[in-house]
Amino acid sequence: MSLLSPARGYALWAPTYSETAVSALESSVVGALGVPLRGRRVLDVGCGIARRLADARDAGASVALGVDLAPAMLARASGDALLAAADVRALPIADGAFDVVWCRLVLGYVDDLSAAYAELARACAPGGVVLVTDFHPTAAAAGHRRTFRDDAGELHELENHVHQADAHPEAAARVGLSLRQRRDGVVSDTVRDFYARAGRLDAYGDQIGLPLVLAMLFVRDD
Ligand SMILES: C[S@@+](CC[C@H](N)C(=O)[O-])C[C@H]1O[C@@H](n2cnc3c(N)ncnc32)[C@H](O)[C@@H]1O
């Protein structure tokens, strides 16, 4: 199995990229955070194929813009979302231009959390919110890896930087973001079908209760 950088990995994964147990849990736990989107300007950093931006539009966001490192992922976006290729550590966004800034399942691909949080905070208007999710450090410690199969069926692993749960609010606080909520997305009935389709119900039984996703909601200080 090859170990790939995020740029190379997502270029390869893009043609077959679809919902996984991790992303489905992530979507569920983000929904539970209950962030209002109606009339808000939403920026999705690391938006991938822009599937969550479509949800933002459906929920009444006034503006929905996505950026991602991998042009191949952006090329798979459907609908009329505004999209641009960019790195979370250097966003082509004016200061305070968005009310809601998402960065979902991205920061594990970045070693320097400070640089990423500085840009997320800068793009967010005072009083706005920044929502971050990450691959859970407990899952990484239990030996879980970020893997995918390409369209030829070959298995690859993506480089992942494990950030301990406290590292996020610490980096966020340094740039004026205060933690308001934290939730874990744990293996449960929500994702049983993903294991069943992969013929891995034995693993499902072993992993029930294991946190796969860390979700945090920050407010930008005025
Ligand atoms: C697991 S996918 C999640 C996509 C999307 N957030 C979602 O939940 O559907 C991770 C995405 O992060 C992007 N990414 C990785 N490193 C990045 C970086 N430094 N800056 C911006 N995007 C990055 C990848 O290209 C990929 O599309």
Side-chain angles (χ1 to χ4, degrees):
M1 184 165 55
S2 56
L3 184 64
L4 301 176
S5 70
R8 175 90 184 103
Y10 279 95
L12 256 184
W13 194 357
T16 57
Y17 189 79
S18 61
E19 211 74 70
T20 63
V22 169
S23 67
L25 266 186
E26 193 267 355
S27 179
S28 166
V29 79
V30 167
L33 288 171
V35 178
L37 298 175
R38 181 158 300 282
R40 307 293 209 280
R41 299 165 295 174
V42 177
L43 172 65
D44 189 354
V45 179
C47 65
I49 61 173
R51 57 189 173 187
R52 307 305 183 217
L53 273 177
D55 298 344
R57 295 297 293 267
D58 291 347
S62 61
V63 176
L65 170 67
V67 302
D68 197 278
L69 187 68
M73 292 290 279
L74 295 171
R76 280 214 35 218
S78 52
D80 57 355
L82 302 167
L83 301 170
D87 191 298
V88 60
R89 292 160 292 192
L91 294 174
I93 304 290
D95 294 359
F98 288 86
D99 309 302
V100 177
V101 178
W102 286 342
C103 189
R104 302 173 59 172
L105 297 176
V106 177
L107 292 187
Y109 299 123
V110 176
D111 54 356
D112 181 2
L113 277 188
S114 296
Y117 273 100
E119 280 296 83
L120 297 174
R122 188 185 61 73
C124 186
V129 298
V130 173
L131 183 147
V132 171
T133 63
D134 196 10
F135 189 59
H136 205 291
T138 302
H144 290 254
R145 299 290 176 260
R146 300 185 85 167
T147 58
F148 69 96
R149 285 190 191 278
D150 63 24
D151 53 5
E154 194 180 335
L155 189 64
H156 303 279
E157 180 176 348
L158 288 158
E159 290 170 2
N160 181 61
H161 301 274
V162 180
H163 303 298
Q164 297 306 316
D166 288 348
H168 290 272
E170 285 168 13
R174 288 195 289 272
V175 291
L177 297 173
S178 303
L179 183 66
R180 287 297 156 85
Q181 283 196 68
R182 180 196 143 171
R183 284 176 186 248
D184 290 346
V186 303
V187 175
S188 63
D189 272 1
T190 317
V191 291
R192 186 181 185 281
D193 282 354
F194 287 91
Y195 288 81
R197 283 200 292 275
R200 300 194 63 230
L201 279 177
D202 52 339
Y204 172 74
D206 292 342
Q207 293 174 18
I208 286 177
L210 178 73
L212 295 183
V213 175
L214 173 66
M216 293 150 294
L217 185 65
F218 301 93
V219 172
R220 189 176 158 197
D221 304 339
D222 289 329

